[in-house]
Amino acid sequence: MAGGPPPWVPSLASLHLMKLRFEPAQWAALLGQAGLTRIELQMCGFDEPPRNISRLANLRSLHINSSCYFTHSPWRHLDGLSRLTELRLESCGVTNLPCGLSTLTALRRLHVSDEPISAGWERLGGLRQLTALVLNRIRCDELPRCIGQLTSLRMLGLFANWHVLDWGALLPLTCVEELDLGFCYSLTELPAALSRMPRLRFLELMYCTNLAGGWQHLAGCSQLTALSLTGCIRLAGLPAELATLPALQVLYLDSSSTYAGFRHLAHLACLTHIGMLYRSMDPASDRRLQGSAADLAQDAAAAQDLAARGVLRVRQRGRMLSPHAHQGQPADGIMQK
């Protein structure tokens, strides 16, 4: 495409460009495609976003990834994209949320990742129609309070927000069904907001390495079907509150977890899969185990029963193995995580 405008197709509806340096001629050709409904620009070079992007009135999805640094323009022209339903800004150096963001009344999914945003959060508050919001690695010390105004949210991604200490903004979000708090190192207790999320089905806590309490807040999550505790190294055993999750089907653990507390899973009738990194199948061999002899015996019996029923699978080197594989028996049921 070097040396002039790319060969645009008059009826073009979807466009994905990578590693292209945009000059005025390219922008003019792009903005002339009134039928475009989806644009993805990945690692494309330009100094500022197009000032007339609102001419693409049929645009439904806009994805800008590692393409520019918005130092010259705050995207004042987003307000013309009245049909936009999805906006993704990733690694673009955005320091302010776009001015026209709150006018996008059709927007349903907003994904902002790896951006040093320091201002403009109040513009989220007007997006009451949002059903999915992803704010991964946004480099802030507290969650924007206006998130609590987005009461239609069904999916909320807050992956790798390492420094957040106050999770109170989540309290009004009672309709959330999927919540990703993976790699939130500062999380020491489960947010109290979980107790007000009766529709929660998926909870990702992968590598919340300081998570050690707040398990009582799971009691309100009666519809939780999938839970990941992989890398939660503060766990000395499975929390007793897991027994209050009647709909739980999938549970991921790893070598940071022990067989202590497996008795709490014994009566979860819906549980069909437990993924766990390889370690000794004999819980008594784990020196970190604490509890009475009776409790440890129940844990051992529960773990053995889950393994015998094919529920407990042991993962080794990235694969899911039959719990009998390390005992010299056939590794039936091998699957990828």
Side-chain angles (χ1 to χ4, degrees):
M1 292 186 181
W8 307 108
V9 180
S11 59
L12 198 63
S14 180
L15 178 66
H16 179 189
L17 296 177
M18 180 183 290
K19 297 182 179 179
L20 174 68
R21 175 65 189 178
F22 268 74
E23 303 294 346
Q26 277 80 16
W27 279 127
L30 174 65
L31 297 175
Q33 296 296 312
L36 275 172
T37 60
R38 183 180 186 275
I39 296 177
E40 180 173 353
L41 303 179
Q42 188 172 1
M43 293 184 287
C44 291
F46 49 93
D47 295 326
E48 58 183 320
R51 296 181 180 276
N52 298 321
I53 198 169
S54 58
R55 288 169 54 186
L56 301 174
N58 290 311
L59 199 63
R60 266 60 166 193
S61 176
L62 177 60
H63 182 183
I64 311 291
N65 187 336
S66 304
S67 289
C68 64
Y69 287 89
F70 299 166
T71 56
H72 303 293
S73 170
W75 276 48
R76 286 180 287 268
H77 303 284
L78 277 179
D79 52 1
L81 301 176
S82 59
R83 298 186 180 182
L84 195 69
T85 60
E86 179 181 25
L87 176 62
R88 297 172 64 98
L89 301 175
E90 302 180 66
S91 303
C92 294
V94 176
T95 57
N96 294 269
L97 285 183
C99 293
L101 190 63
S102 58
T103 67
L104 304 180
T105 56
L107 198 65
R108 297 294 182 270
R109 298 180 61 87
L110 176 61
H111 185 130
V112 181
S113 292
D114 293 295
E115 306 292 4
I117 296 176
S118 59
W121 287 115
E122 68 280 0
R123 292 159 193 156
L124 282 178
L127 300 176
R128 305 296 178 89
Q129 75 283 359
L130 272 186
T131 58
L133 175 64
V134 176
L135 299 175
N136 293 342
R137 295 180 293 270
I138 55 173
R139 312 174 198 176
C140 62
D141 296 331
E142 61 179 335
L143 292 181
R145 286 289 170 180
C146 56
I147 288 180
Q149 301 175 33
L150 308 179
T151 54
S152 296
L153 281 182
R154 298 295 185 271
M155 190 278 283
L156 178 60
L158 298 171
F159 180 84
N161 285 297
W162 303 327
H163 306 297
V164 174
L165 298 175
D166 185 357
W167 301 88
L170 303 181
L171 282 170
L173 304 180
T174 58
C175 295
V176 171
E177 299 176 4
E178 301 179 24
L179 179 61
D180 186 353
L181 298 176
F183 284 85
C184 289
Y185 301 141
S186 60
L187 189 66
T188 57
E189 293 190 354
L190 288 182
L194 290 180
S195 62
R196 299 162 56 93
M197 295 182 180
R199 301 182 185 181
L200 192 66
R201 296 183 296 105
F202 172 87
L203 178 58
E204 176 62 83
L205 298 171
M206 173 186 291
Y207 287 96
C208 290
T209 52
N210 290 300
L211 182 60
W215 304 107
Q216 70 275 14
H217 301 310
L218 287 177
C221 303
S222 59
Q223 296 187 35
L224 193 68
T225 60
L227 172 64
S228 173
L229 298 174
T230 302
C232 294
I233 58 178
R234 296 283 182 176
L235 278 178
L238 298 180
E241 288 79 4
L242 293 184
T244 67
L245 303 176
L248 191 64
Q249 300 176 19
V250 177
L251 176 64
Y252 281 107
L253 310 168
D254 69 5
S255 56
S256 66
S257 304
T258 71
Y259 284 95
F262 262 64
R263 64 189 182 279
H264 305 311
L265 308 179
H267 301 294
L268 297 180
C270 295
L271 193 60
T272 60
H273 183 86
I274 302 174
M276 190 172 186
L277 279 177
Y278 172 78
R279 62 190 296 112
S280 171
M281 292 298 288
D282 178 10
S285 68
D286 194 323
R287 296 180 181 179
R288 293 187 299 162
L289 289 182
Q290 299 179 359
S292 68
D295 286 347
L296 295 181
Q298 291 180 36
D299 290 336
Q304 291 168 4
D305 177 65
L306 290 166
R309 291 191 283 120
V311 175
L312 177 59
R313 301 294 183 97
V314 181
R315 177 162 50 93
Q316 185 177 34
R317 296 180 182 178
R319 294 183 300 175
M320 298 302 299
L321 304 178
S322 160
H324 305 293
H326 70 287
Q327 299 175 346
Q329 300 183 25
D332 56 335
I334 294 177
M335 63 185 73
Q336 296 292 328
K337 179 176 178 181

